[in-house]
C-alpha cells in the first residue's frame, strides 16, 4: 500500500488536512513565473490585495483516486483547467494555461502521494486549484499581480453521515444573478450562499436548492452541486440554465447514462411544479459524487421522492456505481477521462 500516513481513511469527513506539498506560481508584469512546489501552507500578502478588498478569486475542485490495481489517477482534469480559464476570463484574471494546470496537478499529487487514500476506503485526495489578485487595489479594478496555487487534502463524503438520502429545501435566497457569475467558479458565489446554508442547517436541511434568479420558477442547482432527476419512466432529466455551474460530474453522468446505461437524457429547464412527478433525485459534483435526495421541502410542502429516505434510487445507484467504477479503474473509461499520475 502506497499510503503511509496514519489516518483513519474510512472515517474522514470533508475537511482541510494539511498535506506536505502545494504548488505555487506568481503572475507579475504580464507573465506567470515557472512555478514550484512549496512546503509552506501560509500566504503573506498586502492588506489591500484585490482578493481581500473585492473578492477577485476563483477556484476548482477535483480528486485523485487510488485505482483497484494501485495506480493514482485524476478524473478529467482537462475540464477543470478549461473551466478555470472561463472563470478567469469572466473575473478579469489572467488564464493559467491548460498544460501548466495539468502539470501543477500532477506535481501536487505526486509530491503528496502518501496522502492519496487507499482503494476501497471511500476517501480520495481532493485538489483545490485556485487563483487570487494579490497586489494592492483600492479603486474598483482588476489586480495586476496574481497567485495560482494547488493544494491537496484527503477527504471523505461531503455530506455528514456519508451516503444517505438528503433533505433539501427550496431556498428563498439566490446564489447567482441573471447574467451574473453563476456559470463560473468564483469565490463570490460561495460567499453569497453562506447565509443561506447556515440558515438551512439551522432548520435541519442538508442543502439549498436554488431557483433561476430571473423568474424563480425553474430549478437550478444547489450551493455545491448540480441536480439530476429520474422520471418514473426511467429518463434522466437535468436542468439547463446559463446561471448553473457546468459540473464536470454532471456532464460525465449524462454521457454515462446515455452510453453505458442506454438511458434517455433530457437537458432542459425543469420547472418547480414538475418536482412531484420525479422518481429519484441526486446532487452531483466532485465533492458530492452523487448524493441521493429523499425529500425536497418547498415552503412547508414536503415532496418525498418515491426512492425514500433509506437508500439511493435504482437508477441513481447505477449511475453512481458506473461513475465510481470508471474513476476506480473497474469499469473501462471513455478515451481521455483518466489522467494517471506517475
Ligand atoms: N455546482 C456548484 C455550485 C459547485 O460548487 C460544484 C462543485 O464543483 C458543482 C456544481 C459540481 O461541479 P463538478 O462536478 O465539476 O465538481
Ligand atoms: C467541488 O465539488 O469540488 C466543489 O467545489 C464544491 C464545494 C461546495 C466543495
Amino acid at each position: 500500500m502506497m499510503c503511509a500516513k496514519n489516518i483513519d481513511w474510512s472515517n474522514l469527513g470533508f475537511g482541510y488536512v494539511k498535506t506536505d506539498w502545494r504548488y505555487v506560481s506568481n503572475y507579475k508584469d504580464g507573465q506567470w513565473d515557472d512555478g514550484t512546489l512549496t512546503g509552506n501552507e501560509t500566504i503573506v500578502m498586502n492588506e489591500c490585495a484585490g482578493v481581500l478588498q473585492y473578492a477577485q478569486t476563483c477556484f476548482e475542485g477535483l480528486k485523485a483516486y487510488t485505482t483497484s490495481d494501485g495506480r493514482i489517477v485524476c478524473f478529467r482534469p482537462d475540464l477543470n483547467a478549461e473551466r478555470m480559464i472561463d472563470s478567469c476570463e469572466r473575473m478579469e484574471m489572467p488564464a493559467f494555461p491548460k498544460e501548466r494546470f495539468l502539470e501543477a496537478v500532477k506535481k501536487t499529487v505526486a509530491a503528496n502521494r502518501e496522502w492519496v487514500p487507499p482503494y476501497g476506503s471511500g476517501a480520495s485526495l481532493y485538489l483545490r486549484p485556485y487563483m487570487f489578485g494579490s497586489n494592492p487595489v483600492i479603486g474598483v479594478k482588476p489586480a495586476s499581480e496574481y497567485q495560482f496555487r494547488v493544494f491537496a487534502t484527503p477527504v471523505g463524503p461531503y455530506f455528514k453521515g456519508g451516503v444517505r438520502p438528503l433533505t433539501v429545501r427550496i431556498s428563498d435566497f439566490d446564489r447567482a444573478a441573471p447574467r451574473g457569475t453563476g456559470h463560473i467558479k468564483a469565490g463570490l458565489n460561495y460567499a453569497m450562499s453562506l447565509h443561506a446554508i447556515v440558515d438551512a442547517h439551522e432548520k435541519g436541511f442538508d442543502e439549498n436548492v436554488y431557483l433561476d434568479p430571473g423568474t424563480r420558477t425553474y430549478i437550478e442547482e444547489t450551493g455545491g452541486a448540480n441536480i439530476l432527476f429520474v422520471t418514473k419512466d426511467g429518463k434522466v432529466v437535468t436542468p439547463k440554465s446559463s446561471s448553473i455551474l457546468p459540473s464536470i460530474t454532471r456532464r460525465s453522468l449524462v454521457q454515462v447514462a446515455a452510453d453505458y446505461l442506454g438511458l434517455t437524457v433530457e437537458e432542459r429547464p425543469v420547472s418547480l411544479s414538475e418536482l412531484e412527478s420525479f422518481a429519484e433525485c441526486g446532487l452531483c459534483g466532485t465533492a458530492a459524487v452523487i448524493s441521493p435526495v429523499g425529500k425536497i421541502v418547498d415552503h412547508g410542502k414536503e415532496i418525498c421522492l418515491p426512492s425514500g429516505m433509506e437508500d439511493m434510487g435504482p437508477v441513481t445507484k447505477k449511475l453512481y456505481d458506473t461513475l465510481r467504477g470508471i474513476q476506480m479503474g473497474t469499469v473501462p473509461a471513455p478515451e481521455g477521462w483518466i489522467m494517471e499520475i506517475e
Side-chain angles (χ1 to χ4, degrees):
M1 197 59 61
M2 291 302 296
C3 13
K5 301 292 172 186
N6 188 20
I7 288 185
D8 183 4
W9 305 106
S10 301
N11 286 312
L12 271 180
F14 195 87
Y16 174 76
V17 174
K18 185 189 151 195
T19 54
D20 297 324
W21 297 100
R22 65 278 301 129
Y23 180 90
V24 54
S25 178
N26 289 296
Y27 181 90
K28 195 177 174 172
D29 300 327
Q31 54 191 15
W32 289 104
D33 69 12
D34 289 342
T36 185
L37 289 171
T38 171
N40 188 355
E41 80 282 18
T42 63
I43 297 170
V44 176
M45 68 180 121
N46 188 275
E47 61 191 348
C48 199
V51 59
L52 298 179
Q53 301 309 323
Y54 302 124
Q56 198 185 15
T57 177
C58 63
F59 70 98
E60 273 303 324
L62 69 161
K63 284 172 170 173
Y65 310 90
T66 305
T67 60
S68 58
D69 57 357
R71 292 171 298 128
I72 296 177
V73 300
C74 287
F75 183 71
R76 309 190 78 180
D78 51 317
L79 298 188
N80 294 96
E82 287 169 11
R83 191 170 63 188
M84 189 157 188
I85 292 171
D86 293 342
S87 296
C88 287
E89 276 173 12
R90 180 65 176 75
M91 297 293 286
E92 290 295 336
M93 300 167 80
F96 196 69
K98 182 167 162 180
E99 289 314 313
R100 289 210 50 199
F101 181 103
L102 296 175
E103 205 49 47
V105 166
K106 276 187 194 158
K107 282 189 173 158
T108 308
V109 178
N112 292 299
R113 61 170 58 242
E114 292 182 356
W115 293 96
V116 185
Y119 174 75
S121 65
S124 50
L125 188 69
Y126 185 69
L127 299 159
R128 175 52 63 89
Y130 62 114
M131 190 194 294
F132 54 90
S134 53
N135 67 303
V137 168
I138 193 73
V140 177
K141 65 172 188 195
S144 55
E145 294 175 18
Y146 294 85
Q147 189 164 102
F148 169 86
R149 285 192 166 236
V150 184
F151 70 78
T153 180
V155 296
Y158 186 65
F159 292 102
K160 268 206 285 284
V163 183
R164 57 167 176 104
L166 305 171
T167 300
V168 299
R169 70 160 181 197
I170 304 294
S171 176
D172 283 332
F173 302 100
D174 296 323
R175 70 174 282 281
R179 296 169 291 281
T181 54
H183 62 299
I184 59 159
K185 219 161 158 56
L188 63 91
N189 295 340
Y190 300 82
M192 284 276 279
S193 75
L194 293 177
H195 176 60
I197 194 66
V198 169
D199 185 63
H201 286 163
E202 273 171 13
K203 296 185 165 99
F205 302 106
D206 295 297
E207 250 290 16
N208 287 296
V209 173
Y210 293 101
L211 301 178
D212 75 290
T215 72
R216 299 190 56 81
T217 49
Y218 295 99
I219 302 292
E220 296 240 295
E221 63 172 325
T222 65
N226 280 181
I227 306 184
L228 286 177
F229 298 100
V230 180
T231 62
K232 291 192 173 121
D233 57 356
K235 274 191 242 155
V236 174
V237 178
T238 185
K240 190 181 171 106
S241 154
S242 57
S243 43
I244 288 178
L245 189 78
S247 159
I248 294 161
T249 313
R250 186 250 304 159
R251 287 182 271 161
S252 304
L253 286 168
V254 158
Q255 203 172 321
V256 163
D259 298 350
Y260 285 66
L261 305 176
L263 302 171
T264 303
V265 180
E266 294 176 359
E267 293 180 75
R268 58 168 174 81
V270 175
S271 77
L272 188 51
S273 59
E274 258 183 272
L275 285 184
E276 279 157 293
S277 69
F278 293 122
E280 299 176 37
C281 174
L283 309 186
C284 61
T286 298
V289 192
I290 313 179
S291 301
V293 173
K295 195 192 284 185
I296 306 171
V297 180
D298 178 10
H299 301 90
K301 183 169 87 182
E302 294 199 343
I303 300 160
C304 298
L305 280 299
S307 51
M309 294 304 288
E310 292 299 319
D311 292 307
M312 277 194 192
V315 176
T316 306
K317 176 93 169 81
K318 273 193 213 159
L319 286 168
Y320 180 92
D321 287 344
T322 313
L323 180 72
R324 274 306 204 182
I326 290 170
Q327 291 167 339
M328 302 297 162
T330 58
V331 172
E335 176 83 34
W337 278 24
I338 300 297
M339 178 178 83
E340 192 163 339
I341 309 293
E342 269 111 54

